[in-house]
Amino acid sequence: MLPEFKNFCLADFSISENRKKMEDAIKQVEEELGKEYPIIIGGEKIETEKKIESINPSVKKEVVGRVSRANRELAERAIKTAYEKFQEWRFTSPDERARYLLKAAEIMRQEVFYLSALMVVEEGKNWIEAYADTAEAIDFLEFYAREMMRYGKEQPVVPYPGEENSLFYIPLGVVAVIPPWNFPCAILVGMTSAAIVTGNTVVLKPASSSPVIGYKFAEIMERVGLPDGVLNFLPGSGAEVGDTIVGHPLTRMVAFTGSRDVGLHINELAAKTQPGQRWIKRVIAEMGGKDTIIVDETADLDSAVNGIVASAYGFQGQKCSACSRLIIVKDVYDELLDRIIERVKEIKVGDVRDYDNYMGPVINEQAFNKIKEYIEIGKGEGRLMTGGGCDDSVGYFIEPTIIGDVDPMARISQEEIFGPVLAVIKAKDFDEALEIANNTEYGLTGGVYSTNRANLERARREFFVGNLYFNRKITGALVGVQPFGGFNMSGTDSKAGGSDYLLLFMQAKSVAERF
Ligand code: NAP
Ligand code: MG
């Protein structure tokens, strides 16, 4: 009997002992800068001439790791290896599979500072955000292990006279796992461990901006004794390797999290039946967001300021759940906006190895240029209230930015920016605010600050998002507590970290025997 699932506690960095542990871990990561990391297929470590250079976005000349870069041929080999291994792995017991996850969670708890420090350097996540990323990965492992033990038990069916009827869950096959860079530990570990624990084998293609932390997880799974070939680690470019593993006839399922455009492309490619393919591929695609917080005239403004700033600027706004639109009803518009601006001006931006910097850099040059362009667009579509500065001389730094008086149909109100830019919109009342909140093609997270029960109840019914929050920030969904996934162009609403999630990786078989 296992203890009940509980979310892993975050570290309190006001305690000097914890700060010291993180400083030491950052030093350890710095000593390993520039190391080379291989591809892993069927347990074999493969090095290629071509490498992906993973950089530190705070100091872009620092190379965190040089990771071997797979091509189409290696991608084919990885899928075939996973397919062969599946023929054996599929029959392992659910409990056995769950125990690999439980052991991996234990290792990650022991090495939580090191893994988090690696994300401080590879990702530009501040300490708390990086620690939360590792903590979420640990939660996924613990949660899915228990979930699989539950699904592995006899499932209820209606008794029928003279027969023994049973229903049980079996795996699908080879799963191509394609995570984004922004939760390079949590989402990568969540999707991968869900696929493995349900009895599938995996080809994992990490995002090209964060392959080193992905490698560390693959290594942990080796350390816990996961048989070779169950998890194949295949860094490479999305277009080349991604398309090969998604399109391959032996691939049974794709688990993707990332942008809308790539998600739609994957969905289309996976839908096309290839010669020799014997199934309809299953796709889960969790995609982008244009997440909105509404504040009405009855709201507690102190609490709204805290929640809005944390939601908009935590990890530089690079969360699918980040608040990128703020809709304020007219009576409190000026007051709230002034208070947010005042708070945002206090945010310290810089190299996140320094604990005092709340905001770090954005992930890479491409993101930097895109966000900079949106700020320019925003200046034309609204009023620049604060921020707007961009500096890529050392790292990819962008000031926390607010654009006020934005039209609900403006581009910066409709398109995902994925950076520290907040568009603020004035609404005449709550009705109009809700209408604006629902006016994008996305539907991931949303929030309402209000003390008006009728408004909250309306939002509960009509605010069309997968994860809705009242009187708190709209980021930081907890495994098991707030299963996560969005509507419309935000994805297939797979609800990661929820009790339905593992079903997506399995199929049910009914067996009837008459005696
Ligand atoms: P992305 O550019 O779509 O990339 C995601 C993954 O897809 C990466 O591993 C990428 O590889 C790969 N990829 C790119 N092209 C591909 C192709 N043709 N075939 C197969 N794979 C391909 O997204 P991102 O920039 O990493 O992440 C940010 C996005 O993710 C945002 O839109 C954010 O909202 C979304 N997101 C959503 C959720 C959610 O739960 N809904 C959670 C987190 C993030 P390369 O890195 O090699 O290009
Ligand atoms: Mg990308």
Side-chain angles (χ1 to χ4, degrees):
M1 177 107 166
L2 278 174
E4 255 181 66
F5 171 78
K6 262 173 62 188
N7 297 101
F8 185 63
C9 268
L10 297 184
D12 178 352
F13 288 112
S14 68
I15 297 170
S16 65
E17 195 190 325
N18 284 338
R19 279 204 307 278
K20 173 86 173 61
K21 281 185 187 162
M22 197 64 169
E23 280 157 8
D24 290 348
I26 290 173
K27 274 189 205 123
Q28 190 187 339
V29 169
E30 283 173 336
E31 279 161 21
E32 294 167 1
L33 286 178
K35 249 183 89 170
E36 301 205 343
Y37 299 90
I39 294 161
I40 310 174
I41 300 176
E44 193 189 330
K45 306 270 163 60
I46 300 164
E47 286 180 17
T48 57
E49 194 99 343
K50 280 195 183 166
K51 307 277 187 214
I52 298 170
E53 282 207 336
S54 177
I55 56 131
N56 173 359
S58 293
V59 181
K60 59 190 181 182
K61 68 172 196 306
E62 272 180 28
V63 177
V64 180
R66 304 183 70 242
V67 183
S68 279
R69 181 193 182 110
N71 55 15
R72 285 208 171 82
E73 232 179 296
L74 286 169
E76 287 258 344
R77 194 163 129 199
I79 295 285
K80 286 200 183 111
T81 304
Y83 184 74
E84 278 158 27
K85 189 67 197 178
F86 176 66
Q87 308 317 323
E88 183 191 320
W89 180 248
R90 62 197 291 191
F91 297 123
T92 49
S93 82
D95 286 3
E96 177 188 338
R97 296 189 310 246
R99 291 183 193 113
Y100 291 107
L101 271 59
L102 294 169
K103 182 69 187 172
E106 181 52 30
I107 291 184
M108 290 181 84
R109 273 191 293 273
Q110 285 162 14
E111 298 177 4
V112 58
F113 284 96
Y114 171 76
L115 295 166
S116 307
L118 179 55
M119 285 184 274
V120 170
V121 181
E122 189 177 33
E123 284 269 314
K125 278 198 184 216
N126 76 19
W127 294 17
I128 295 164
E129 298 281 354
Y131 199 96
D133 197 323
T134 316
E136 190 178 350
I138 294 167
D139 284 352
F140 278 132
L141 291 166
E142 292 281 352
F143 187 79
Y144 293 149
R146 285 166 177 76
E147 281 294 291
M148 194 59 226
M149 288 174 156
R150 179 170 72 84
Y151 280 121
K153 295 204 175 80
E154 196 174 344
Q155 299 298 308
V157 286
V158 173
Y160 190 79
E163 288 184 358
E164 183 205 3
N165 283 280
S166 61
L167 180 132
F168 49 94
Y169 291 106
I170 63 171
L172 292 169
V174 176
V175 182
V177 175
I178 307 179
W181 54 263
N182 73 326
F183 282 91
C185 189
I187 295 180
L188 179 146
V189 169
M191 295 199 295
T192 306
S193 62
I196 291 173
V197 80
T198 44
N200 303 286
T201 52
V202 169
V203 175
L204 164 63
K205 192 212 89 61
S208 297
S209 299
S210 56
V212 177
I213 183 77
Y215 180 82
K216 293 290 171 188
F217 177 65
E219 202 177 52
I220 287 171
M221 294 314 278
E222 264 185 8
R223 287 161 65 194
V224 306
L226 186 76
D228 291 344
V230 174
L231 171 56
N232 302 281
F233 179 69
L234 190 82
S237 99
E240 191 179 0
V241 163
D243 277 356
T244 308
I245 62 174
V246 170
H248 201 286
L250 292 179
T251 297
R252 178 65 181 82
M253 173 181 176
V254 183
F256 167 81
T257 306
S259 62
R260 167 194 179 279
D261 291 356
V262 174
L264 292 181
H265 166 77
I266 286 175
N267 190 44
E268 210 173 309
L269 182 59
K272 186 158 169 30
T273 315
Q274 305 294 333
Q277 184 180 322
R278 298 176 67 177
W279 41 69
I280 297 174
K281 286 178 195 167
R282 198 180 281 180
V283 174
I284 56 176
E286 298 312 312
M287 314 195 291
K290 189 72 195 172
D291 311 307
T292 304
I293 293 179
I294 296 175
V295 182
D296 79 7
E297 69 285 359
T298 69
D300 171 346
L301 296 189
D302 290 330
S303 144
V305 171
N306 290 336
I308 290 160
V309 171
S311 304
Y313 302 108
F315 190 35
Q316 297 78 266
Q318 301 174 114
K319 299 184 188 180
C320 54
S321 54
C323 173
S324 65
R325 302 200 305 172
L326 171 62
I327 305 175
I328 313 175
V329 299
K330 65 174 188 325
D331 306 10
V332 283
Y333 184 87
D334 292 327
E335 185 189 348
L336 180 60
L337 190 50
D338 284 349
R339 286 170 68 173
I340 293 170
I341 293 166
E342 196 183 315
R343 177 70 64 81
V344 167
K345 283 183 171 155
E346 289 166 9
I347 292 177
K348 282 193 168 172
V349 184
D351 189 329
V352 276
R353 280 175 289 196
D354 179 348
Y355 176 61
D356 289 337
N357 288 325
Y358 174 77
M359 257 182 58
V362 299
I363 192 71
N364 56 29
E365 186 182 353
Q366 203 190 344
F368 178 86
N369 290 333
K370 182 181 152 201
I371 298 162
K372 200 171 146 188
E373 205 180 305
Y374 270 115
I375 292 175
E376 285 313 308
I377 294 168
K379 284 180 190 164
E381 289 182 330
R383 244 185 334 137
L384 178 68
M385 313 298 291
T386 183
C390 305
D391 178 357
D392 63 349
S393 51
V394 179
Y396 299 109
F397 294 101
I398 296 184
E399 283 176 353
T401 300
I402 299 178
I403 314 272
D405 304 346
V406 174
D407 182 87
M409 293 315 291
R411 281 186 65 192
I412 61 158
S413 168
Q414 293 290 320
E415 297 170 18
E416 184 181 54
I417 300 174
F418 223 58
V421 182
L422 180 66
V424 188
I425 300 166
K426 190 190 282 185
K428 72 173 189 296
D429 53 21
F430 188 77
D431 283 4
E432 189 182 69
L434 193 54
E435 197 180 305
I436 299 167
N438 281 333
N439 81 354
T440 76
E441 62 179 11
Y442 294 108
L444 190 47
T445 70
V448 178
Y449 278 90
S450 171
T451 56
N452 178 323
R453 174 56 43 200
N455 286 352
L456 293 175
E457 292 304 323
R458 248 196 93 191
R460 194 179 280 270
R461 288 189 306 269
E462 295 171 34
F463 198 157
F464 198 65
V465 292
N467 288 74
L468 181 61
Y469 301 90
F470 294 158
N471 297 318
R472 53 151 285 174
K473 66 177 180 147
I474 64 171
T475 53
L478 285 173
V479 170
V481 181
Q482 292 114 1
F484 192 80
F487 301 155
N488 292 347
M489 282 300 172
S490 290
T492 49
D493 189 42
S494 64
K495 288 289 186 276
S499 56
D500 304 331
Y501 189 69
L502 291 190
L503 286 177
L504 299 167
F505 293 80
M506 299 188 283
Q507 51 199 341
K509 183 168 179 177
S510 154
V511 179
E513 179 169 358
R514 194 161 284 187
F515 299 104

